[in-house]
Amino acid sequence: MSSKEKNILEGSSRSSVSGAGGCDDRQQQLPLSRYESQKKRDWNTFGQYLRNQRPPLELSQCNYNQVLDFLNYLDQFGKTKVHVEGCLFFGQPEPPGPCTCPHKQAWGSLDALIGRLRAAYEENGGLLETNPFASGAIRVYLREVKESQAKARGIPYKKKKKKKRNLIKPKGDTSNSTMH
């Protein structure tokens, strides 16, 4: 593994030139925001996932397939009950009893995770053009998860339509211009 890849996976963004003022030290002393902490934790988890593969994978070998495998791997830790089509409670927002359907990661959690990993990849030296978290296949997967979980709960997600703005001319306005 190259040192650049190692730095990317470890989340290092250290500058090779450090100023005499110790600016890097002050940045490291500030507590990270909740978002930044979560992004770092997610990035480290993904790096560990790649290292645990047999054979271990380097970031340069990673593409959207490994990201999809990672998302499926995370389902085992999910807390959202997703009813399967054969379940008596399929399509019911509030099922009256327990069932054996699997728990999975909620769509919103996966969507937020991908957003953080997408940002972390680029912040840690990855190129926008090769960002596996920005792949169209990932967007399709997230859309399918969203729709299937909504269907299983009986709560359809409807695409929000853009509101049309009614532009009313003020009294006395004689202009013929219209805004589109």
Side-chain angles (χ1 to χ4, degrees), residues 12-158:
S12 174
S13 58
R14 283 175 278 163
S15 172
S16 58
V17 178
S18 183
C23 182
D24 289 340
D25 293 338
R26 279 192 301 259
Q27 281 183 335
Q28 290 177 358
Q29 289 175 354
L30 292 176
L32 294 175
S33 69
R34 184 172 179 230
Y35 171 80
E36 292 296 328
S37 296
Q38 187 64 53
K39 183 170 53 172
K40 184 176 181 181
R41 189 167 38 251
D42 293 340
W43 184 247
N44 290 335
T45 301
F46 182 70
Q48 188 63 48
Y49 173 80
L50 291 178
R51 287 188 294 276
N52 288 341
Q53 298 303 297
R54 294 293 168 243
L57 292 170
E58 294 187 23
L59 189 59
S60 62
Q61 299 170 305
C62 180
N63 62 33
Y64 69 88
N65 288 315
Q66 285 75 34
V67 175
L68 292 174
D69 290 344
F70 177 64
L71 295 177
N72 286 316
Y73 160 78
L74 291 177
D75 272 342
Q76 67 183 307
F77 308 110
K79 297 176 185 170
T80 301
K81 176 78 77 168
V82 180
H83 299 287
V84 296
E85 289 204 35
C87 178
L88 294 172
F89 304 134
F90 182 80
Q92 293 186 25
E94 295 182 35
C99 68
T100 59
C101 291
H103 284 89
K104 295 189 173 199
Q105 291 289 336
W107 164 78
S109 298
L110 293 176
D111 188 49
L113 170 68
I114 288 298
R116 290 188 300 268
L117 289 173
R118 184 177 183 171
Y121 180 85
E122 293 171 20
E123 287 173 9
N124 289 290
L127 299 175
L128 173 65
E129 299 80 29
T130 61
N131 190 333
F133 304 101
S135 165
I138 302 300
R139 288 191 296 276
V140 168
Y141 174 81
L142 289 174
R143 187 178 333 114
E144 289 173 354
V145 168
K146 178 181 179 180
E147 290 169 359
S148 70
Q149 288 186 2
K151 191 175 179 182
R153 291 174 39 227
I155 304 171
Y157 281 106
K158 293 185 179 176

